[in-house]
Amino acid sequence: MKRTMMSLIGVAVALAAVTGVAAVAAPDGGGRDAPRGGSRLPVQRSALLCPAPTSSQVAETAYTAFAPKGAAAGADGKKGTAELRPAGTVRDAGDGDGGKGGKKGKGKGAADAAAGQTVAPRDTKPVVPLQEAGKPVVTTTDKPDAPALVGSADGMFAPGWTVQQTTSVAAGAGRGLLGLSCTTPDTTFWFPGVSTATDRQDYVHLTNPDAVPAVVDLELHGKDGPLAGSAGEDISVPPHTTVPVLLSTLTSSPTTNAALHVVAREGRVGAAVQASDGKLGSDWLPPAADPAPSVVLPGIPKDATSVRLVALAPGESDADLKVQLATPTGLITPAGLETLHLKSGMTTAVDLKDLTKGEAGSLVLTPSDSDSRAPVTAALRVTRGKGAKQEMAFIPATRPVEKRATAADNRDRGSTLSLVAPEKGKDAKVKVTASAGSGGGTPVTKTYTVKGGRSLDVEPPRPQGLKGTYALTVEPEPGSGPVYAARMLARPQGGVPAFTVQPLPDDRGSVLVPAAGQDLSVLTN
């Protein structure tokens, strides 16, 4: 009896302590903001994953790390750290190319990945560790066996920590400029625009940042639904290791305009697709934003000679979309493409050719019917140049910039910043800051206004006295309308207009923390 009474008292005390510290009021359903009394606080830890860059003998890769200045160090007051370290690789004895582009080999399929041998990195020294916020750190490598990188940041470096991986390949099937903002780990990714056709070699790089194994499924969709013969189940990704998988080994149906769905059933991974075309060069295809009824694809260059859209409605319902191009003068409808019908689970591809007609723009896809809320995902393959001197890049659907976005690795010339405010009547006022240079220079800030329903392409500000590379931060001012952003890098190679486009989604450097309060009603029936 006495023991029972003491147990009941202990339970009541424990419940009271819990409710006093962590009881959270239910959301009022009035939007995405925190409950009344909540606050927005900087994240305390962030993770990034950079895939293995290339196996080419004539390539150079630059890693540029940056954390915006002014972010709070956190409750513990510690300065923090931010660095990447080499990851291991899974490969088998028959793997010809290791999944990193360049000349064709046997490649790595799902079965190879599951049965492959884990090769530890040769070097474990940290890469591009940050010493101070607001100033980029750069390192380069020309090693054909450069590993994937796994890293984390904490303290003052965690909010907005960004690493850009830029590779220049001078010759060969993978020639061109490949750029990627290193990705954050997650459990699901969509990649519209991949290919398993014979003229393409597309590898998905799966990287596990954690100390426990991850198990991943890969599913390919084509114009008739899931591709026959798909063999991408139960791919094991060991801890702190990367696994490259050649997509053409997953199916017996070569498909040009496909969509890849990556799902981590156990653990989490980072994912990015490296696409190499025999005529159009190569680039990274980053994951698209989570499927949504409306999507924006920002940053189509004004001199694009070909634009191909690949879209998919991944849910159970079809989607009917209104197709518009946001230009410097307003929203226009491409000739002959007023609407687009997407069948559930099936890809739809549209060649938009010279869509921009000499004006830079951004593609905006919205439901054609106000009652239609079917989620969609999409990406563009954009080509510049003609004949044998063409180069391709990819623009996936991206998230809006809500608080801040960052683009690292900008040089004295060659960067173009694209901003788009897709909603008519909702102008966006955006503050753009050029950081100090990696070798010196003074930050410069400039404010741009983007009219609702329009896009704006600008040569971004540069630091005064720039030495080295610098970063750009994009911050909408309070009260601005929705704004999306992308950054293009152009670095010609022997007459080829080599370029790459990085979408600039919100960096999610802060989180809404709801207020906690005492609620003893949980103790009553």
Side-chain angles (χ1 to χ4, degrees):
M1 176 75 177
K2 183 175 180 181
R3 179 178 298 175
T4 302
M5 181 61 69
M6 291 300 294
S7 298
L8 289 172
I9 293 173
V11 169
V13 170
L15 285 172
V18 169
T19 56
V21 173
V24 178
D28 61 9
R32 294 176 297 172
D33 293 337
R36 283 174 291 185
S39 57
R40 182 174 286 274
L41 299 176
V43 298
Q44 295 298 300
R45 187 176 179 85
S46 57
L48 289 176
L49 307 167
C50 305
T54 179
S55 61
S56 173
Q57 299 284 345
V58 289
E60 182 175 85
T61 298
Y63 298 97
T64 306
F66 177 78
K69 197 171 186 178
D76 57 9
K78 293 182 180 179
K79 179 180 178 181
T81 59
E83 62 184 27
L84 296 154
R85 291 183 181 272
T89 302
V90 171
R91 63 174 64 193
D92 69 340
D95 184 16
D97 181 49
K100 293 184 284 185
K103 61 183 181 180
K104 284 190 177 183
K106 174 185 174 182
K108 181 175 290 295
D112 293 329
Q117 179 183 6
T118 301
V119 179
R122 298 178 184 176
D123 193 354
T124 58
K125 292 180 181 178
V127 179
V128 285
L130 290 182
Q131 301 298 322
E132 61 179 299
K135 182 179 180 181
V137 174
V138 183
T139 190
T140 61
T141 180
D142 58 3
K143 295 180 179 179
D145 60 349
L149 303 176
V150 176
S152 63
D154 56 28
M156 67 181 293
F157 297 125
W161 181 48
T162 300
V163 179
Q164 168 81 12
Q165 175 180 303
T166 308
T167 301
S168 178
V169 181
R175 62 107 176 104
L177 189 67
L178 299 83
L180 180 71
S181 291
C182 297
T183 59
T184 56
D186 208 337
T187 57
T188 183
F189 305 87
W190 280 100
F191 295 93
V194 300
S195 175
T196 63
T198 56
D199 59 348
R200 279 267 292 269
Q201 272 197 300
D202 286 15
Y203 284 88
V204 61
H205 291 243
L206 307 171
T207 308
N208 182 357
D210 299 320
V212 295
V215 178
V216 177
D217 290 341
L218 304 177
E219 185 180 52
L220 286 165
H221 291 256
K223 62 183 179 63
D224 297 319
L227 293 184
S230 184
E233 295 183 353
D234 298 324
I235 299 175
S236 178
V237 186
H240 308 299
T241 298
T242 191
V243 175
V245 179
L246 180 61
L247 297 187
S248 61
T249 64
L250 302 181
T251 177
S252 57
S253 304
T255 302
T256 299
N257 303 305
L260 171 68
H261 191 200
V262 177
V263 179
R265 289 191 288 106
E266 297 179 21
R268 58 178 187 161
V269 295
V273 171
Q274 188 183 63
S276 179
D277 186 284
K279 296 180 179 179
L280 303 179
S282 59
D283 205 349
W284 289 101
L285 171 58
D290 292 339
S294 299
V295 296
V296 177
L297 302 92
I300 305 172
K302 64 181 180 181
D303 60 350
T305 52
S306 174
V307 178
R308 177 185 291 171
L309 168 67
V310 178
L312 173 79
E316 297 181 355
S317 302
D318 294 358
D320 288 293
L321 301 174
K322 180 166 59 176
V323 181
Q324 293 177 297
L325 181 70
T327 72
T329 56
L331 289 166
I332 64 172
T333 300
L337 191 64
E338 292 78 12
T339 61
L340 185 65
H341 179 72
L342 304 181
K343 293 183 178 180
S344 172
M346 304 179 186
T347 59
T348 297
V350 181
D351 279 319
L352 302 173
K353 299 181 181 179
D354 55 341
L355 172 69
T356 60
K357 304 294 184 181
E359 282 190 327
S362 299
L363 201 65
V364 180
L365 306 178
T366 56
S368 57
D369 184 343
S370 59
D371 295 330
S372 175
R373 304 299 296 170
V376 300
T377 184
L380 298 172
R381 190 201 70 186
V382 179
T383 304
R384 297 172 71 217
K386 295 181 180 181
K389 296 186 180 299
Q390 295 185 75
E391 165 77 333
M392 70 177 183
F394 296 93
I395 302 175
T398 189
R399 301 192 308 269
V401 184
E402 296 178 353
K403 295 296 180 181
R404 182 185 57 210
T406 300
D409 193 11
N410 299 279
R411 312 288 174 89
D412 184 51
R413 297 185 183 278
S415 293
T416 301
L417 178 65
S418 298
L419 304 169
V420 57
E423 297 186 21
K424 285 185 178 180
K426 294 185 178 181
D427 298 354
K429 198 171 184 179
V430 181
K431 182 176 72 173
V432 179
T433 301
S435 75
S438 56
T442 304
V444 172
T445 296
K446 190 172 181 178
T447 300
Y448 301 92
T449 298
V450 188
K451 295 291 185 180
R454 300 184 183 184
S455 65
L456 177 67
D457 267 35
V458 297
E459 185 177 335
R462 291 188 293 273
Q464 293 181 353
L466 171 64
K467 294 181 180 179
T469 67
Y470 68 99
L472 290 169
T473 54
V474 177
E475 299 171 280
E477 295 197 354
S480 287
V483 63
Y484 296 74
R487 188 276 316 272
M488 182 179 81
L489 293 178
R491 296 175 188 167
Q493 298 177 348
V496 176
F499 76 115
T500 181
V501 179
Q502 279 72 59
L504 304 182
D506 191 86
D507 64 18
R508 293 178 174 173
S510 61
V511 292
L512 289 170
V513 180
Q518 192 176 63
D519 184 4
L520 297 182
S521 64
V522 297
L523 299 179
T524 63
N525 292 327

PDB file of all heavy atoms in Angstrom, residues 280-300:
ATOM      1  N   LEU A 280      26.285  17.389 -74.711  1.00  0.00           N
ATOM      2  CA  LEU A 280      25.919  18.602 -73.973  1.00  0.00           C
ATOM      3  C   LEU A 280      26.718  18.808 -72.693  1.00  0.00           C
ATOM      4  O   LEU A 280      26.410  19.693 -71.909  1.00  0.00           O
ATOM      5  CB  LEU A 280      24.419  18.559 -73.628  1.00  0.00           C
ATOM      6  CG  LEU A 280      23.467  18.416 -74.813  1.00  0.00           C
ATOM      7  CD1 LEU A 280      22.025  18.354 -74.320  1.00  0.00           C
ATOM      8  CD2 LEU A 280      23.644  19.571 -75.793  1.00  0.00           C
ATOM      9  N   GLY A 281      27.749  18.009 -72.475  1.00  0.00           N
ATOM     10  CA  GLY A 281      28.555  18.184 -71.280  1.00  0.00           C
ATOM     11  C   GLY A 281      27.918  17.552 -70.062  1.00  0.00           C
ATOM     12  O   GLY A 281      27.156  16.582 -70.173  1.00  0.00           O
ATOM     13  N   SER A 282      28.198  18.092 -68.897  1.00  0.00           N
ATOM     14  CA  SER A 282      27.707  17.476 -67.664  1.00  0.00           C
ATOM     15  C   SER A 282      27.436  18.538 -66.608  1.00  0.00           C
ATOM     16  O   SER A 282      27.936  19.661 -66.682  1.00  0.00           O
ATOM     17  CB  SER A 282      28.728  16.463 -67.128  1.00  0.00           C
ATOM     18  OG  SER A 282      29.969  17.089 -66.861  1.00  0.00           O
ATOM     19  N   ASP A 283      26.621  18.163 -65.634  1.00  0.00           N
ATOM     20  CA  ASP A 283      26.357  19.040 -64.495  1.00  0.00           C
ATOM     21  C   ASP A 283      25.644  18.225 -63.427  1.00  0.00           C
ATOM     22  O   ASP A 283      25.227  17.086 -63.653  1.00  0.00           O
ATOM     23  CB  ASP A 283      25.501  20.246 -64.897  1.00  0.00           C
ATOM     24  CG  ASP A 283      25.713  21.444 -63.968  1.00  0.00           C
ATOM     25  OD1 ASP A 283      26.345  21.287 -62.905  1.00  0.00           O
ATOM     26  OD2 ASP A 283      25.254  22.552 -64.301  1.00  0.00           O
ATOM     27  N   TRP A 284      25.503  18.829 -62.257  1.00  0.00           N
ATOM     28  CA  TRP A 284      24.758  18.220 -61.164  1.00  0.00           C
ATOM     29  C   TRP A 284      23.292  18.609 -61.264  1.00  0.00           C
ATOM     30  O   TRP A 284      22.961  19.751 -61.583  1.00  0.00           O
ATOM     31  CB  TRP A 284      25.307  18.664 -59.816  1.00  0.00           C
ATOM     32  CG  TRP A 284      26.641  18.092 -59.486  1.00  0.00           C
ATOM     33  CD1 TRP A 284      27.849  18.710 -59.596  1.00  0.00           C
ATOM     34  CD2 TRP A 284      26.912  16.780 -58.984  1.00  0.00           C
ATOM     35  NE1 TRP A 284      28.849  17.865 -59.206  1.00  0.00           N
ATOM     36  CE2 TRP A 284      28.306  16.677 -58.822  1.00  0.00           C
ATOM     37  CE3 TRP A 284      26.102  15.689 -58.663  1.00  0.00           C
ATOM     38  CZ2 TRP A 284      28.908  15.507 -58.346  1.00  0.00           C
ATOM     39  CZ3 TRP A 284      26.701  14.527 -58.193  1.00  0.00           C
ATOM     40  CH2 TRP A 284      28.095  14.447 -58.031  1.00  0.00           C
ATOM     41  N   LEU A 285      22.421  17.662 -60.996  1.00  0.00           N
ATOM     42  CA  LEU A 285      20.992  17.908 -60.837  1.00  0.00           C
ATOM     43  C   LEU A 285      20.683  17.798 -59.345  1.00  0.00           C
ATOM     44  O   LEU A 285      20.675  16.698 -58.788  1.00  0.00           O
ATOM     45  CB  LEU A 285      20.175  16.891 -61.636  1.00  0.00           C
ATOM     46  CG  LEU A 285      18.661  16.865 -61.414  1.00  0.00           C
ATOM     47  CD1 LEU A 285      18.043  18.224 -61.708  1.00  0.00           C
ATOM     48  CD2 LEU A 285      17.999  15.768 -62.244  1.00  0.00           C
ATOM     49  N   PRO A 286      20.444  18.924 -58.665  1.00  0.00           N
ATOM     50  CA  PRO A 286      20.108  18.856 -57.242  1.00  0.00           C
ATOM     51  C   PRO A 286      18.666  18.426 -57.046  1.00  0.00           C
ATOM     52  O   PRO A 286      17.860  18.487 -57.988  1.00  0.00           O
ATOM     53  CB  PRO A 286      20.328  20.300 -56.759  1.00  0.00           C
ATOM     54  CG  PRO A 286      20.163  21.139 -57.969  1.00  0.00           C
ATOM     55  CD  PRO A 286      20.551  20.304 -59.159  1.00  0.00           C
ATOM     56  N   PRO A 287      18.305  17.978 -55.852  1.00  0.00           N
ATOM     57  CA  PRO A 287      16.916  17.572 -55.624  1.00  0.00           C
ATOM     58  C   PRO A 287      15.971  18.754 -55.743  1.00  0.00           C
ATOM     59  O   PRO A 287      16.306  19.895 -55.404  1.00  0.00           O
ATOM     60  CB  PRO A 287      16.936  17.013 -54.198  1.00  0.00           C
ATOM     61  CG  PRO A 287      18.163  17.586 -53.560  1.00  0.00           C
ATOM     62  CD  PRO A 287      19.146  17.776 -54.652  1.00  0.00           C
ATOM     63  N   ALA A 288      14.757  18.473 -56.243  1.00  0.00           N
ATOM     64  CA  ALA A 288      13.739  19.498 -56.344  1.00  0.00           C
ATOM     65  C   ALA A 288      13.107  19.733 -54.973  1.00  0.00           C
ATOM     66  O   ALA A 288      13.225  18.911 -54.058  1.00  0.00           O
ATOM     67  CB  ALA A 288      12.668  19.069 -57.347  1.00  0.00           C
ATOM     68  N   ALA A 289      12.445  20.874 -54.839  1.00  0.00           N
ATOM     69  CA  ALA A 289      11.695  21.155 -53.616  1.00  0.00           C
ATOM     70  C   ALA A 289      10.607  20.102 -53.432  1.00  0.00           C
ATOM     71  O   ALA A 289      10.204  19.418 -54.382  1.00  0.00           O
ATOM     72  CB  ALA A 289      11.086  22.549 -53.698  1.00  0.00           C
ATOM     73  N   ASP A 290      10.127  19.968 -52.210  1.00  0.00           N
ATOM     74  CA  ASP A 290       9.054  19.014 -51.949  1.00  0.00           C
ATOM     75  C   ASP A 290       7.870  19.289 -52.879  1.00  0.00           C
ATOM     76  O   ASP A 290       7.540  20.454 -53.144  1.00  0.00           O
ATOM     77  CB  ASP A 290       8.590  19.122 -50.498  1.00  0.00           C
ATOM     78  CG  ASP A 290       9.639  18.648 -49.513  1.00  0.00           C
ATOM     79  OD1 ASP A 290      10.532  17.887 -49.922  1.00  0.00           O
ATOM     80  OD2 ASP A 290       9.573  19.052 -48.330  1.00  0.00           O
ATOM     81  N   PRO A 291       7.225  18.244 -53.409  1.00  0.00           N
ATOM     82  CA  PRO A 291       6.082  18.449 -54.305  1.00  0.00           C
ATOM     83  C   PRO A 291       5.028  19.364 -53.685  1.00  0.00           C
ATOM     84  O   PRO A 291       4.725  19.272 -52.489  1.00  0.00           O
ATOM     85  CB  PRO A 291       5.544  17.029 -54.507  1.00  0.00           C
ATOM     86  CG  PRO A 291       6.746  16.148 -54.320  1.00  0.00           C
ATOM     87  CD  PRO A 291       7.551  16.806 -53.248  1.00  0.00           C
ATOM     88  N   ALA A 292       4.480  20.265 -54.511  1.00  0.00           N
ATOM     89  CA  ALA A 292       3.499  21.246 -54.053  1.00  0.00           C
ATOM     90  C   ALA A 292       2.570  21.586 -55.213  1.00  0.00           C
ATOM     91  O   ALA A 292       2.918  21.360 -56.388  1.00  0.00           O
ATOM     92  CB  ALA A 292       4.202  22.503 -53.543  1.00  0.00           C
ATOM     93  N   PRO A 293       1.389  22.136 -54.959  1.00  0.00           N
ATOM     94  CA  PRO A 293       0.470  22.478 -56.059  1.00  0.00           C
ATOM     95  C   PRO A 293       1.038  23.512 -57.025  1.00  0.00           C
ATOM     96  O   PRO A 293       0.728  23.476 -58.216  1.00  0.00           O
ATOM     97  CB  PRO A 293      -0.763  23.017 -55.320  1.00  0.00           C
ATOM     98  CG  PRO A 293      -0.706  22.387 -53.971  1.00  0.00           C
ATOM     99  CD  PRO A 293       0.746  22.293 -53.639  1.00  0.00           C
ATOM    100  N   SER A 294       1.852  24.446 -56.524  1.00  0.00           N
ATOM    101  CA  SER A 294       2.498  25.460 -57.369  1.00  0.00           C
ATOM    102  C   SER A 294       4.001  25.353 -57.200  1.00  0.00           C
ATOM    103  O   SER A 294       4.486  25.153 -56.078  1.00  0.00           O
ATOM    104  CB  SER A 294       2.042  26.869 -56.984  1.00  0.00           C
ATOM    105  OG  SER A 294       0.647  27.025 -57.160  1.00  0.00           O
ATOM    106  N   VAL A 295       4.742  25.475 -58.298  1.00  0.00           N
ATOM    107  CA  VAL A 295       6.199  25.420 -58.212  1.00  0.00           C
ATOM    108  C   VAL A 295       6.807  26.520 -59.073  1.00  0.00           C
ATOM    109  O   VAL A 295       6.213  26.961 -60.062  1.00  0.00           O
ATOM    110  CB  VAL A 295       6.757  24.042 -58.643  1.00  0.00           C
ATOM    111  CG1 VAL A 295       6.288  22.952 -57.706  1.00  0.00           C
ATOM    112  CG2 VAL A 295       6.371  23.706 -60.074  1.00  0.00           C
ATOM    113  N   VAL A 296       7.999  26.963 -58.666  1.00  0.00           N
ATOM    114  CA  VAL A 296       8.732  28.008 -59.384  1.00  0.00           C
ATOM    115  C   VAL A 296      10.124  27.479 -59.700  1.00  0.00           C
ATOM    116  O   VAL A 296      10.792  26.897 -58.839  1.00  0.00           O
ATOM    117  CB  VAL A 296       8.819  29.296 -58.552  1.00  0.00           C
ATOM    118  CG1 VAL A 296       9.641  30.354 -59.279  1.00  0.00           C
ATOM    119  CG2 VAL A 296       7.421  29.829 -58.237  1.00  0.00           C
ATOM    120  N   LEU A 297      10.544  27.690 -60.957  1.00  0.00           N
ATOM    121  CA  LEU A 297      11.871  27.266 -61.414  1.00  0.00           C
ATOM    122  C   LEU A 297      12.617  28.512 -61.867  1.00  0.00           C
ATOM    123  O   LEU A 297      12.446  28.980 -63.004  1.00  0.00           O
ATOM    124  CB  LEU A 297      11.740  26.244 -62.557  1.00  0.00           C
ATOM    125  CG  LEU A 297      10.946  24.971 -62.210  1.00  0.00           C
ATOM    126  CD1 LEU A 297       9.468  25.129 -62.563  1.00  0.00           C
ATOM    127  CD2 LEU A 297      11.517  23.751 -62.905  1.00  0.00           C
ATOM    128  N   PRO A 298      13.454  29.103 -61.000  1.00  0.00           N
ATOM    129  CA  PRO A 298      14.054  30.402 -61.283  1.00  0.00           C
ATOM    130  C   PRO A 298      15.392  30.320 -61.997  1.00  0.00           C
ATOM    131  O   PRO A 298      16.150  29.350 -61.840  1.00  0.00           O
ATOM    132  CB  PRO A 298      14.246  30.981 -59.873  1.00  0.00           C
ATOM    133  CG  PRO A 298      14.518  29.777 -59.021  1.00  0.00           C
ATOM    134  CD  PRO A 298      13.737  28.648 -59.637  1.00  0.00           C
ATOM    135  N   GLY A 299      15.688  31.347 -62.823  1.00  0.00           N
ATOM    136  CA  GLY A 299      17.044  31.512 -63.335  1.00  0.00           C
ATOM    137  C   GLY A 299      17.323  30.994 -64.719  1.00  0.00           C
ATOM    138  O   GLY A 299      18.456  30.585 -65.004  1.00  0.00           O
ATOM    139  N   ILE A 300      16.347  31.012 -65.644  1.00  0.00           N
ATOM    140  CA  ILE A 300      16.624  30.614 -67.028  1.00  0.00           C
ATOM    141  C   ILE A 300      17.407  31.745 -67.695  1.00  0.00           C
ATOM    142  O   ILE A 300      16.931  32.882 -67.757  1.00  0.00           O
ATOM    143  CB  ILE A 300      15.325  30.361 -67.810  1.00  0.00           C
ATOM    144  CG1 ILE A 300      14.446  29.338 -67.077  1.00  0.00           C
ATOM    145  CG2 ILE A 300      15.643  29.882 -69.227  1.00  0.00           C
ATOM    146  CD1 ILE A 300      13.074  29.179 -67.681  1.00  0.00           C
TER     147      ILE A 300
END
